[in-house]
Amino acid sequence: MTEQLDHKTFDLISVLAGRSYPALDVPVYFNEELGFKLFQLERDRREALLLDADNAKDLDKEFQALAKASEDEKFTITLKSIPEQVRRDVIASVASEFPAKRNMIGQEDPNPDGDQALTKKLWSVYIQAVTDPEGAVSIVTEETVDSIYNLAPIGVHKAINTGIGELQGGADAGFESAAKELDFLSAASPEG
């Protein structure tokens, strides 16, 4: 006699269609001159700690004041994760516009125009908003993405790309950490 198993079912398509995407606020600074001055003061302050304690105190006060002033220079770029299909569509679009070329031995030649186009198109789908230090929000357009790409300091580029990387891999890493923790908690104790 075989028994019928009573299986529950669910609609996987609805689960995937209705999911939300994480967002991340990335602080950025466009004032390179201020950043460089902070760098120089920090360097001088460390040297003075070894050589001249009084000068170190003065430099420390100057650094603290400038660090506090740098808060008035902090912008926030809001990034939001995207569906995998959107990412693949961007890559396919750039690949069709800037096809790869291969050299005599079959290696792909560098394609700086394609790389630039890919970065800008990915930024345009990930960047949701840019907020200034007073809380005003800039509308993100192709022109603003071009301006960030062409005019913003390299540190801004790094912050955006790092943020996108966190969004792409952060959820997986979070679930992996949770699984390790649950495995650890559910393992039998060697003490019995």
Side-chain angles (χ1 to χ4, degrees):
M1 180 196 292
T2 61
E3 293 183 25
Q4 282 292 64
L5 295 176
D6 184 21
H7 292 287
K8 293 182 180 180
T9 62
F10 71 97
D11 183 2
L12 179 60
I13 295 170
S14 294
V15 169
L16 293 173
R19 64 190 191 100
S20 61
Y21 295 92
L24 178 67
D25 286 336
V26 178
V28 297
Y29 299 86
F30 297 118
N31 187 338
E32 276 184 293
E33 191 174 340
L34 177 61
F36 190 71
K37 185 162 184 154
L38 282 161
F39 162 76
Q40 289 176 315
L41 275 171
E42 175 61 18
R43 182 193 60 209
D44 294 348
R45 187 171 69 159
R46 278 187 309 226
E47 288 175 9
L49 284 172
L50 299 172
L51 305 173
D52 182 357
D54 289 335
N55 189 28
K57 288 178 186 177
D58 293 340
L59 289 170
D60 190 52
K61 287 178 187 175
E62 189 177 349
F63 181 85
Q64 296 302 328
L66 208 53
K68 186 172 179 145
S70 73
E71 280 300 307
D72 294 337
E73 297 287 335
K74 181 170 72 174
F75 288 73
T76 303
I77 295 180
T78 302
L79 304 171
K80 187 171 183 180
S81 193
I82 57 173
E84 179 59 19
Q85 184 62 51
V86 172
R87 191 185 68 77
R88 285 194 307 262
D89 289 346
V90 167
I91 291 169
S93 167
V94 171
S96 69
E97 190 176 345
F98 299 93
K101 296 178 182 160
R102 300 198 176 272
N103 62 22
M104 294 181 346
I105 58 174
Q107 294 174 325
E108 198 171 295
D109 285 335
N111 189 347
D113 292 335
D115 292 344
Q116 177 176 307
L118 180 60
T119 298
K120 286 181 182 181
K121 285 187 180 198
L122 284 173
W123 284 10
S124 70
V125 294
Y126 275 98
I127 298 174
Q128 300 296 300
V130 180
T131 307
D132 78 3
E134 288 81 37
V137 179
S138 174
I139 296 170
V140 179
T141 64
E142 188 175 320
E143 184 180 11
T144 55
V145 170
D146 280 344
S147 291
I148 294 170
Y149 186 85
N150 293 320
L151 303 174
I154 192 68
V156 174
H157 288 238
K158 287 178 184 177
I160 292 169
N161 292 330
T162 299
I164 290 172
E166 284 182 27
L167 288 172
Q168 289 175 336
D172 288 342
F175 285 121
E176 287 173 9
S177 295
K180 288 176 187 173
E181 184 72 17
L182 290 174
D183 286 346
F184 173 75
L185 293 175
S186 64
S189 170
E191 296 172 4

